[in-house]
Amino acid sequence: MKRILTSAVVALTAAFTLSACGGSDPLSTAAPAETPATSVGASPKVVVGSFNFPESILLGSIYAQALQAKGITVEEKPNIGTREVVYDQIKSGGLTVVPEYIGSLLAFVDKTSTVKTKDDIVSALGSKLPSELQVLTPSEAQDNNSLTVTKETATKDKLTTVEDLAKVSKNYVVGGPPEFKERQEQNFKDVYGMEFKEWKPTGDTTADAIKSGTIQVGNVFTTDPKIVLNDLVSLQDTKNAFGSDNVTPLVYKAGVNDTVTSTLNEVSAKLTTETLLSLMKRISVDKDDPPVVAKDWLTQNGLL
């Protein structure tokens, strides 16, 4: 949804003026899937896409540069849009690789699913994804959804868990990305019996909206440095309403070969939640460009 910031997005988008914005639709130039190359020796053209938030753009750049280092021809399409848009593109073969979050992906393709652990989610995706798509080996890194409040709110209402929040949620306004309400409102009712006073689409300004009091509860991803910078508290999801959300490449199977899959799995093997948090601090706080941050991390880990 992790994973799944107006000023940050503006800054990041500027770094991709030729490919991500410039007043044009990043999907408008999406070429149809080329003739797939699936043998070990073949060199397919791989189109790496990403969602419209900074962490996804970073992960897409990591994937793209790692593949280029192995001699793969790569076209990068960062900052495309929400999962609803990106999923249709990779399903049709217009994209070849997208950094995904397994729990959020399963909730998208199977709204009735109740599985929560990494292994169960991966197994369920194996049967729920269309035959054209496949998730590769998940990384240790997770960027989970969270319900987050200020320390003052947590102290005042004695909130440490989402279950605590459910007792007072009708007094609170909750915010998050525009699609957050559609994806999670029923889930909260089913798992926690929780309802909110009002839902507001706060998008990439959610953490700031919590701090300012515009909303009292917000959907903030757990690797967002603003949790620390704004002195916020992410409540424990004791009933696993969100489930595991490990980062993993989602691939269009006909467009990848063994070199592509093994390279992406090597990246996943080195990604941790702590890694994501430190890399996102460089982007959100230090204002470093995602391709630079991606290159530094790949170099430090022997992947370039």
Side-chain angles (χ1 to χ4, degrees):
M1 288 282 246
K2 28 265 210 199
R3 346 192 89 291
I4 100 229
L5 303 172
T6 298
S7 60
V9 170
V10 170
L12 291 170
T13 305
F16 294 98
T17 51
L18 294 180
S19 58
C21 56
S24 62
D25 182 351
L27 299 182
S28 63
T29 58
E34 299 183 1
T35 303
T38 56
S39 64
V40 176
S43 297
K45 176 183 176 181
V46 172
V47 183
V48 179
S50 59
F51 299 120
N52 57 342
F53 58 89
E55 185 176 281
S56 183
I57 295 170
L58 168 67
L59 290 166
S61 187
I62 288 174
Y63 290 169
Q65 292 186 53
L67 292 170
Q68 288 170 334
K70 294 295 179 71
I72 301 295
T73 301
V74 177
E75 178 181 0
E76 196 173 349
K77 290 183 177 291
N79 197 31
I80 292 174
T82 65
R83 181 172 287 105
E84 286 79 359
V85 176
V86 173
Y87 183 80
D88 284 343
Q89 287 295 302
I90 193 167
K91 183 180 177 182
S92 67
L95 299 173
T96 319
V97 181
V98 172
E100 258 292 5
Y101 301 84
I102 57 171
S104 298
L105 177 59
L106 180 60
F108 179 76
V109 298
D110 181 11
K111 292 179 173 55
T112 65
S113 177
T114 58
V115 300
K116 301 298 182 182
T117 67
K118 180 183 74 172
D119 291 344
D120 287 344
I121 291 171
V122 170
S123 177
L125 285 169
S127 61
K128 295 299 181 179
L129 285 174
S131 60
E132 298 92 344
L133 301 179
Q134 177 185 7
V135 290
L136 302 184
T137 303
S139 69
E140 177 190 325
Q142 292 195 59
D143 187 358
N144 284 12
N145 286 281
S146 76
L147 289 178
T148 296
V149 299
T150 63
K151 278 191 177 178
E152 292 81 1
T153 297
T155 300
K156 176 174 67 73
D157 285 331
K158 299 179 180 179
L159 306 179
T160 59
T161 69
V162 179
E163 197 166 7
D164 295 333
L165 176 64
K167 300 172 185 176
V168 294
S169 59
K170 286 186 177 181
N171 301 321
Y172 286 161
V173 177
V174 64
E179 63 273 13
F180 179 57
K181 182 177 189 294
E182 177 184 348
R183 293 177 182 173
Q184 298 296 344
E185 183 175 24
Q186 190 60 49
N187 184 33
F188 292 148
K189 289 180 181 178
D190 293 343
V191 177
Y192 287 105
M194 182 164 56
E195 297 182 37
F196 289 99
K197 178 181 178 180
E198 183 184 351
W199 291 71
K200 285 189 176 181
T202 49
D204 51 15
T205 66
T206 301
D208 294 326
I210 299 169
K211 183 67 174 178
S212 70
T214 303
I215 58 176
Q216 289 76 55
V217 184
N219 173 222
V220 183
F221 294 112
T222 54
T223 59
D224 188 340
K226 285 193 175 182
I227 291 177
V228 175
L229 293 174
N230 288 351
D231 206 22
L232 306 179
V233 176
S234 292
L235 304 177
Q236 299 172 38
D237 180 18
T238 52
K239 294 185 177 180
N240 293 315
F242 291 121
S244 297
D245 230 359
N246 301 72
V247 175
T248 189
L250 174 67
V251 301
Y252 179 71
K253 290 194 294 187
V256 300
N257 63 10
D258 289 350
T259 301
V260 173
T261 56
S262 63
T263 300
L264 294 173
N265 283 337
E266 286 176 7
V267 169
S268 292
K270 293 182 179 292
L271 271 179
T272 66
T273 302
E274 291 74 21
T275 292
L276 275 183
L277 185 57
S278 64
L279 297 181
M280 286 309 301
K281 178 183 178 298
R282 287 189 58 185
I283 292 171
S284 298
V285 179
D286 302 334
K287 306 303 180 184
D288 290 339
D289 290 336
V292 174
V293 176
K295 182 178 180 180
D296 288 348
W297 181 78
L298 287 165
T299 300
Q300 292 164 9
N301 285 274
L303 296 170
L304 278 187

